[in-house]
């Protein structure tokens, strides 16, 4: 059987590490051409070379998606160089936790600019291409996958603005779903629990240790586990839409 994403093109943001990098590999393994976007170009080029080396085209795009013009340019380059856009994975995100009191508010700005504005601006830029793909592709649909978090369902002390951004991603995904259901652009919200990535490296001292402490005794997810779930969602037949995927390590309680 031919790989299920043969003939399609996917753009994955935040693909220089973690879940985004693993998702690029998974979608490429299903036959998609992949555009991988983030700020660290060298890492993207290495990934693209590795994926391209398996005989599938991959394109590295340096893009800071908090800048609307760069988000638009990432979408434009994908379509110019790979020919179309069938799947957008809005994965780029930051988790800068800590109590509200005395928080460095520039951390809040960074999360709002990336987790929310980056995601909505990239989606907006991609939309005409996704609508065209839904109309003319053999698959009969297109996909927007938004990577949220368990933190998009459950708020915790010390996580207020991250919770705010990820709850926002959930609301936007559902509104998007309703708006584009009849035009066959599917919306999938992915809500991982703890995953082994670089995400906690960016926490400030003190907070980092506290957050890591929560998960020292359990076997947390690998990025590839989440990538598998994303690949599963976007390879369903057009009439099946997995709108929400909550994926936690088996031993994670909260
Ligand atoms: N790890 C977890 O436990 C966990 C749990 C739930 C949800 N998530 C979500 O999963 C997503 C991916 O995170 P991850 O865990 O894979 O962490 P990660 O390894 O730190 O990946 C984050 C990615 O976002 C990119 N990025 C950061 N700022 C960017 C910007 N301004 N423009 C473009 N790309 C940017 C980073 O690349 P550059 O630095 O090269 O730009 C990197 O590729 C996030 O949305 C996160 O909230 C993670």
């Amino acid at each position: 059987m031919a790989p299920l994403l043969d003939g399609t093109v996917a753009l994955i943001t935040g693909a220089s590490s973690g879940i985004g990098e693993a998702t690029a590999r998974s979608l490429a393994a299903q036959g998609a051409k992949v555009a991988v976007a983030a700020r660290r170009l060298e890492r993207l080029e290495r990934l693209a070379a590795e994926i391209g080396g398996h005989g599938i085209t991959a394109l590295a795009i340096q893009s800071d998606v908090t800048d609307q013009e760069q988000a638009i340019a990432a979408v434009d380059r994908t379509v110019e160089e790979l020919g179309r856009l069938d799947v957008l994975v809005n994965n780029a995100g930051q988790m800068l936790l800590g109590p509200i009191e005395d928080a460095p508010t520039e951390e809040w700005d960074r999360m709002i600019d990336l987790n929310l504005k980056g995601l909505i601006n990239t989606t907006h830029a991609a939309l005409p291409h996704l609508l065209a793909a839904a109309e003319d592709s053999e698959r009969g649909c297109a996909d927007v996958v938004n990577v949220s978090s368990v933190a998009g369902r459950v708020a915790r002390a010390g996580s207020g603005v991250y919770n705010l951004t990820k709850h926002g991603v959930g609301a936007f995904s559902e509104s998007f779903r309703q708006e584009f259901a009849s035009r066959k652009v599917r919306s999938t919200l992915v809500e991982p629990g703890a995953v082994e990535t670089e995400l906690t490296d960016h926490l400030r001292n003190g907070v980092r240790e506290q957050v890591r402490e929560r998960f020292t005794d359990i076997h947390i997810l690998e990025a590839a586990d989440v990538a598998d779930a994303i690949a599963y969602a976007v390879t369903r037949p057009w009439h099946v839409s997995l709108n929400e995927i909550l994926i936690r390590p088996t031993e994670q309680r909260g």
Side-chain angles (χ1 to χ4, degrees):
M1 198 173 72
L4 292 164
L5 296 180
D6 257 2
T8 69
V9 172
L11 167 61
I12 300 122
T13 69
S16 59
S17 60
I19 295 169
E21 180 181 343
T23 300
R25 286 204 179 88
S26 289
L27 301 190
Q30 290 287 346
K33 292 180 185 173
V34 292
V36 289
R39 296 167 303 174
R40 288 171 293 175
L41 184 58
E42 218 175 278
R43 305 240 325 218
L44 296 172
E45 282 175 340
R46 222 180 307 139
L47 174 66
E50 185 199 310
I51 292 172
H54 292 120
I56 295 159
T57 308
L59 173 68
I61 302 177
Q62 185 168 39
S63 172
D64 178 341
V65 295
T66 63
D67 176 329
Q68 187 173 14
E69 284 182 12
Q70 291 189 45
I72 294 169
V75 170
D76 288 350
R77 262 196 77 194
T78 303
V79 175
E80 275 160 29
E81 298 195 31
L82 299 181
R84 52 186 298 115
L85 181 59
D86 301 86
V87 177
L88 170 64
V89 182
N90 282 309
N91 164 74
Q94 286 209 331
M95 178 186 76
L96 304 168
L97 304 180
I100 293 164
E101 197 173 3
D102 299 328
T105 55
E106 65 85 27
E107 288 192 346
W108 296 355
D109 290 339
R110 277 162 60 194
M111 286 191 287
I112 289 167
D113 286 350
L114 181 60
N115 302 3
L116 290 176
K117 287 166 75 177
L119 182 144
I120 61 178
N121 286 331
T122 311
T123 304
H124 187 253
L127 194 51
H129 307 292
L130 295 168
L131 286 165
E135 253 184 54
D136 77 6
S137 66
E138 266 182 46
R139 285 198 320 147
C141 61
D143 287 281
V144 174
V145 177
N146 291 327
V147 179
S148 174
S149 169
V150 168
R153 295 171 64 111
V154 186
R156 293 172 64 94
S159 183
V161 178
Y162 186 62
N163 286 144
L164 178 157
T165 62
K166 293 302 191 182
H167 276 72
V169 170
F172 181 73
S173 302
E174 173 56 14
S175 177
F176 181 98
R177 186 191 71 75
Q178 292 179 27
E179 219 170 299
F180 296 102
S182 64
R183 290 197 271 172
K184 304 189 181 71
V185 181
R186 304 185 292 196
S187 168
T188 299
L189 180 69
V190 180
E191 299 159 308
V195 189
E196 181 65 51
T197 69
E198 297 176 11
L199 196 70
T200 56
D201 295 358
H202 308 289
L203 292 167
R204 58 184 188 277
N205 292 341
V207 175
R208 189 186 313 110
E209 292 69 33
Q210 271 176 21
V211 170
R212 287 182 178 164
E213 182 67 24
R214 276 185 62 206
F215 300 109
T216 46
D217 293 337
I218 70 167
H219 187 150
I220 64 173
L221 299 173
E222 289 167 22
D225 298 323
V226 181
D228 268 1
I230 293 173
Y232 181 78
V234 303
T235 52
R236 293 311 88 206
W238 73 266
H239 66 286
V240 180
S241 188
L242 264 77
N243 300 130
E244 197 167 354
I245 302 176
L246 174 61
I247 172 170
R248 275 190 282 235
T250 302
E251 298 167 293
Q252 180 176 338
R253 292 165 62 120

